[in-house]
Amino acid sequence: MPPAIVILTGAGISKESGIDTFRDKDGLWARVDLEEVATIEAWHRDKRKVLEFYNETRRMFRAAHVAPNPAHRALARLEREYDGEVVIVTQNIDPLHEQAGSRRVIHMHGRDGEIRCMSCGHIFESDIDLTPQSVCPNCKAVGELRPNIVWFGEMPQHMDEIHAALERCGLFVAIGTSGEVYPAAGFVLHVRRRQPRAHTVEINLEATGNQSLFHEHIYGPASQTVPAYVQRVLTRGWRD
């Protein structure tokens, strides 16, 4: 069995589908104060304000009819055609990888369209608007429902599963991620230390702060670079 491929994706892969990255000068976090809408403290302080922000953001996302781009579709092709395991670890909350056909996707920052109860931990899929009066369908607690999205200061999800995948990978590829947000920014170093024979590749618009940790660098729009790289891996392997 060939070694596993682990792919870390960030906001850059979805930008070409029309989803702003956090760091765009006109992006989401340039328009709102994250301390007011994206922390657990904000939720406890003013649940209505936080929930209305996410209700509106979700409606805007749905109205935009955002669709997967060639980069998402290329990664789905890699999973279909590669003889070994392909795991996508995404920092994105959008469902574009799944819509493109990828099946092995780990959302470390949560998922759009999922709701979590802070009282019992129940997670369920729903696009309903949340209010401080919303009732958990599992434990019936009132006012404890929130988007299943990791807020600033919270621990990312599925870390044990992610580290297990990193432990068995022979190829690690980071696509469209800044290399500045931990723990995701540390994944490449984890691979280099635990799997010294693994190959590491950075695919981005430009070099990131941890560029030196990657064996290979490919720069350009994800919709162009990712399909070409997937074609190379499937036909010639990853060590040219």
Side-chain angles (χ1 to χ4, degrees):
M1 176 72 71
I5 298 174
V6 177
I7 300 165
L8 172 67
T9 65
I13 197 171
S14 294
K15 181 175 175 59
E16 292 178 70
S17 290
I19 300 177
D20 288 341
T21 69
F22 288 162
R23 286 172 170 76
D24 285 343
K25 66 180 187 303
D26 58 348
L28 182 60
W29 301 123
R31 301 194 295 265
V32 298
D33 182 351
L34 65 88
E35 296 291 339
E36 297 296 321
V37 296
T39 65
I40 189 65
E41 292 81 9
W43 185 75
H44 284 301
R45 184 169 57 245
D46 191 340
K47 291 182 180 180
R48 183 174 301 280
K49 180 176 182 177
V50 171
L51 295 176
E52 286 180 351
F53 169 77
Y54 284 97
N55 292 339
E56 180 182 0
T57 301
R58 186 182 63 255
R59 286 194 294 268
M60 289 172 57
F61 178 79
R62 297 292 186 274
H65 302 295
V66 176
N69 64 56
H72 296 102
R73 294 194 292 271
L75 295 181
R77 177 197 174 198
L78 180 63
E79 183 181 346
R80 288 194 309 271
E81 299 183 15
Y82 181 63
D83 289 335
E85 179 186 21
V86 176
V87 179
I88 296 175
V89 179
T90 186
Q91 297 169 280
N92 303 330
I93 64 171
D94 65 63
L96 296 180
H97 284 300
E98 290 90 344
Q99 290 176 3
S102 293
R103 294 168 297 173
R104 186 78 168 87
V105 184
I106 302 173
H107 285 265
M108 63 182 295
H109 290 162
R111 292 185 60 182
D112 178 54
E114 286 187 346
I115 294 172
R116 172 157 43 110
C117 178
M118 291 293 286
S119 179
C120 69
H122 180 59
I123 297 172
F124 59 100
E125 293 188 9
S126 177
D127 276 340
I128 63 170
D129 282 356
L130 294 178
T131 74
Q133 289 75 45
S134 295
V135 178
C136 174
N138 185 60
C139 71
K140 309 307 178 185
V142 178
E144 294 298 316
L145 296 183
R146 55 167 281 186
N148 187 34
I149 296 170
V150 174
W151 286 327
F152 290 91
E154 293 184 315
M155 178 63 68
Q157 300 175 4
H158 313 298
M159 291 303 297
D160 289 345
E161 186 179 358
I162 292 168
H163 280 123
L166 295 174
E167 292 283 335
R168 59 181 181 268
C169 82
L171 173 64
F172 175 78
V173 185
I175 303 172
T177 180
S178 68
E180 298 178 8
V181 179
Y182 285 83
F187 290 168
V188 61
L189 182 59
H190 183 93
V191 172
R192 292 290 298 266
R193 287 175 172 170
R194 301 300 296 270
Q195 297 286 352
R197 298 183 63 184
H199 189 60
T200 56
V201 182
E202 175 184 60
I203 302 178
N204 210 341
L205 279 175
E206 56 190 15
T208 64
N210 55 6
Q211 176 191 27
S212 62
L213 295 174
F214 292 92
H215 295 104
E216 186 177 351
H217 313 91
I218 302 171
Y219 300 125
S223 61
Q224 299 174 23
T225 55
V226 175
Y229 182 71
V230 166
Q231 176 67 21
R232 190 187 105 188
V233 169
L234 290 174
T235 56
R236 305 200 307 273
W238 58 70
R239 293 186 184 274
D240 278 2

